[in-house]
Amino acid sequence: MVNISRTDYFPTMVYQFDLPNPDGLNASLIDLIYREREADKLGITKSNTAELGSWHSNTNLHKSEDYSAILSHIHEVGGHISNELGYARDHELIVTAMWSIINPPGNGNRMHVHPGAIWSGVYYVQTPEASGDIEFVDPRTALLMNQPKYLPKRKRPRNCWTKINYKPVAGRMLFFPSWLYHGVDSNMATAPGRNADRVIISFNINQVKKKK
């Protein structure tokens, strides 16, 4: 028998954290986010489809005491990642930008990355059925050039996937490397009124030296 071994390198890590009993926090965040939109109806345009009605807030929400509860959860996960991956103990992962997005039906987010950060993430505040999966794509350009063929009607090994979709779940938080290309499918929800809106908070994270 031939002795063949395999070693996997350069993984792309996605962390998932489900908040316990998020309903009260989410109700508070919904009110805050819609008030933000009322105060700044134009918002800004990034990857969102503003021309179709998507709204994107400013990126300084982390500086408001109103968002301290969700910020503490984000930093809790950041601390776990720092410990698990062996990051320098005199630094910590801190949110350096945070914003909200309201995607009414028909809206999504174009494929994009988040420059200037180490980790990025999303927290799902309101996610009606069919409101749009987030899709991550394989960052290795070699697979854009020439892809192998696989056996039909058989699931590929996970290491050979070229994209992955996460269904949004209210109260769930995802962390992913900021360089990982991702986009959001169009919201196809049919709930009445603003209950059909897909509402999220997104954020960028960097290592910051701890204060003595």
Side-chain angles (χ1 to χ4, degrees):
M1 181 177 179
V2 178
N3 183 18
I4 299 175
S5 64
R6 189 186 88 185
T7 305
D8 297 330
Y9 295 109
F10 314 122
T12 300
M13 297 170 284
V14 177
Y15 286 88
Q16 176 181 310
F17 173 61
D18 292 336
L19 270 66
N21 305 313
D23 292 351
L25 174 61
N26 287 349
S28 172
L29 289 172
I30 284 285
D31 289 341
L32 283 170
I33 291 167
Y34 279 97
R35 286 210 305 267
E36 294 275 354
R37 189 175 70 171
E38 279 299 308
D40 179 19
K41 290 184 173 65
L42 187 61
I44 63 176
T45 301
K46 295 285 189 178
S47 66
N48 58 307
T49 49
E51 67 278 8
L52 299 177
S54 174
W55 178 82
H56 188 306
S57 78
N58 70 73
T59 60
N60 294 324
L61 298 187
H62 60 295
K63 296 181 179 180
S64 170
E65 184 64 28
D66 291 338
Y67 294 89
S68 59
I70 187 61
L71 201 62
S72 67
H73 287 297
I74 296 170
H75 287 154
E76 178 185 359
V77 179
H80 170 86
I81 293 173
S82 289
N83 291 333
E84 182 177 279
L85 300 183
Y87 286 176
R89 291 183 179 177
D90 61 344
H91 283 67
E92 57 187 337
L93 290 177
I94 295 294
V95 171
T96 52
M98 191 169 82
W99 59 95
S100 57
I101 297 177
I102 300 174
N103 273 354
N107 286 266
N109 292 81
R110 303 176 182 91
M111 280 286 169
H112 63 287
V113 295
H114 293 210
I118 296 176
W119 290 91
S120 294
V122 57
Y123 175 70
Y124 295 108
V125 181
Q126 177 174 285
T127 57
E129 185 64 30
S131 60
D133 290 0
I134 187 170
E135 180 175 273
F136 300 105
V137 299
D138 193 325
R140 296 170 295 177
T141 55
L143 288 179
L144 298 176
M145 305 299 292
N146 192 14
Q147 292 193 23
K149 297 186 183 301
Y150 293 89
L151 291 171
K153 298 181 181 180
R154 284 185 60 180
K155 190 173 184 178
R156 301 179 191 178
R158 178 174 292 187
N159 286 350
C160 298
W161 294 355
T162 57
K163 62 181 179 180
I164 182 67
N165 289 66
Y166 278 80
K167 182 179 180 180
V169 176
R172 176 164 294 171
M173 188 182 297
L174 299 178
F175 275 62
F176 49 89
S178 299
W179 46 258
L180 182 60
Y181 265 100
H182 58 285
V184 177
D185 295 337
S186 293
N187 182 354
M188 303 299 288
T190 58
R194 79 178 197 183
N195 289 331
D197 292 348
R198 182 184 189 275
V199 183
I200 63 100
I201 287 177
S202 197
F203 46 88
N204 286 337
I205 292 177
N206 274 297
Q207 272 186 322
V208 176
K209 194 171 182 62
K210 291 180 178 178
K211 297 179 180 178
K212 293 183 179 181

